[in-house]
Amino acid sequence: MILMSPPCQPFTRIGLQGDISDPRTKSFLYILDILPRLQKLPKYILLENVKGFESSSARNELLRTLATCGFTYQEFLLSPTCLGIPNSRLRYFLIAKLHQEPFSFQAPGKILTRFPDQNLEDSLKDKVADKVGEACSSLCSEEKNLDLNIGPNCSSKKSLPKGAFLFKLETVEEMERKHDQDNDSSIQMLKAFLEEENEEMSQYFIPPKSLLRYAFLLDIVKPTCRRSTCFTKGYGHYVEGTGSVLQTALDVQLESVFKHIEELPEEEKLMKLSTLKLRYFTPREIANLHGFPSEFGFPSKVTVKQCYRLLGNSLNVHVVAKLISILLG
């Protein structure tokens, strides 16, 4: 079996999208070049990459090579949300097997957004969940994507749902999607993946300077939420677009903190924001969301920053395990 996760930088949607002209694609193209010339081909292949790879020339070359070698293959765009895990991490996957019976399901030429044993209704729910994660990441990463219907005081020109309050730089549609996901009982609550609060958690609280600067860009979730955005390798170091942050003061309402906060002097603004007790998710908590077993741990010499970088480049264990099960089944 060959497991591949080629460098994603040539295909990321916020990058230059150099595709096969990017030097970092050379190693992948080399594998595709030698694959048909191997005396003994692998029986199975599993490949992972970012969303964006599915529309690349590299992917087209991959499919041509697999067809030449006699592989049966299936493509997916999957997120842990399809398995009830409250984390949006949309990734491209391909599974392929050599000269064997076709897969038990039939989806020729299609990129599946669910596992074959899941129904269409679940698929639609999952697309909503992933749009939330994508929207939050885009909103935080690219100022050009900020909604033009949001005024300077962060209020929306569009109508809001009854009783709702738009307190951050987000559109009404994004707020509604988050609300729908938090009410989707098929997805677990975040609290099932969290560590117990203790004194060591103080190192994960967001510094005052970052609170003041990025408050309106944070994706804030509570333990009872059923969603979180994709955690990247910059989590814990950069604030914008790198992953959700956790509100640990459960009795404080976001609306009461953010309403008219832009009118306050800096000191008062910081006092209000501090009442939320916002912190980063710990490496262990992100590992839990990724499906790593409880006995998994990092060596003692690995720093917290290094842990975040490694986890940000990781895959969801449950998603990959299910794909391998389908491949070998």
Side-chain angles (χ1 to χ4, degrees), residues 69-315:
C69 294
F71 282 92
T72 301
Y73 62 83
Q74 178 61 54
E75 298 174 283
F76 298 85
L77 279 171
L78 297 171
S79 177
T81 51
C82 69
L83 295 178
I85 300 167
N87 180 238
S88 295
R89 195 175 185 83
L90 190 61
R91 292 292 184 269
Y92 170 90
F93 294 95
L94 176 142
I95 57 175
K97 56 183 178 179
L98 182 66
H99 300 304
Q100 294 188 15
E101 292 295 319
F103 293 110
S104 58
F105 54 92
Q106 298 296 320
K110 294 182 180 179
I111 300 179
L112 300 182
T113 58
R114 295 287 289 184
F115 288 105
D117 58 353
Q118 295 173 316
N119 60 37
L120 179 61
E121 183 181 351
D122 288 339
S123 178
L124 294 174
K125 284 183 181 180
D126 220 40
K127 287 181 180 178
V128 169
D130 289 315
K131 281 182 180 178
V132 173
E134 290 179 44
C136 290
S137 296
S138 302
L139 187 68
C140 297
S141 301
E142 303 177 71
E143 290 184 359
K144 65 181 179 182
N145 285 341
L146 291 179
D147 196 294
L148 298 177
N149 288 306
I150 294 188
N153 63 345
C154 300
S155 60
S156 175
K157 297 176 186 176
K158 298 180 182 179
S159 60
L160 291 170
K162 186 176 181 181
F165 176 67
L166 197 66
F167 54 85
K168 297 195 305 166
L169 293 178
E170 60 186 8
T171 65
V172 175
E173 289 79 9
E174 287 159 2
M175 182 193 66
E176 289 175 340
R177 284 196 294 266
K178 290 179 181 181
H179 180 268
D180 290 342
Q181 190 173 357
D182 282 334
N183 285 280
D184 182 359
S185 59
S186 69
I187 298 177
Q188 299 177 73
M189 290 184 181
L190 284 168
K191 62 183 181 181
F193 302 84
L194 302 180
E195 296 187 272
E196 288 187 20
E197 296 291 331
N198 54 56
E199 293 180 1
E200 293 181 4
M201 292 293 184
S202 60
Q203 65 179 308
Y204 299 107
F205 279 91
I206 299 177
K209 189 176 179 180
S210 296
L211 269 181
L212 285 171
R213 185 173 181 181
Y214 299 107
F216 286 95
L217 296 176
L218 295 172
D219 181 64
I220 301 170
V221 294
K222 290 183 176 181
T224 52
C225 287
R226 302 178 188 270
R227 61 180 175 83
S228 60
T229 57
C230 181
F231 296 102
T232 74
K233 67 178 184 179
Y235 191 68
H237 181 62
Y238 298 106
V239 178
E240 293 184 69
T242 58
S244 301
V245 297
L246 187 68
Q247 177 186 336
T248 58
L250 304 183
D251 56 339
V252 180
Q253 297 299 315
L254 282 174
E255 291 85 349
S256 65
V257 172
F258 279 90
K259 197 169 186 178
H260 307 306
I261 194 172
E262 70 277 3
E263 301 169 5
L264 299 176
E266 198 168 89
E267 188 175 339
E268 289 184 40
K269 188 184 296 185
L270 181 58
M271 285 180 63
K272 292 201 77 172
L273 291 170
S274 297
T275 62
L276 293 170
K277 296 184 179 178
L278 299 177
R279 70 164 175 85
Y280 294 108
F281 283 74
T282 69
R284 177 67 257 179
E285 289 167 342
I286 297 176
N288 290 343
L289 286 165
H290 284 351
F292 286 88
S294 57
E295 60 269 21
F296 170 81
F298 291 101
S300 57
K301 292 184 179 179
V302 177
T303 66
V304 170
K305 181 179 177 179
Q306 289 171 327
C307 289
Y308 282 137
R309 289 182 68 85
L310 292 166
L311 290 165
N313 283 322
S314 183
L315 301 176

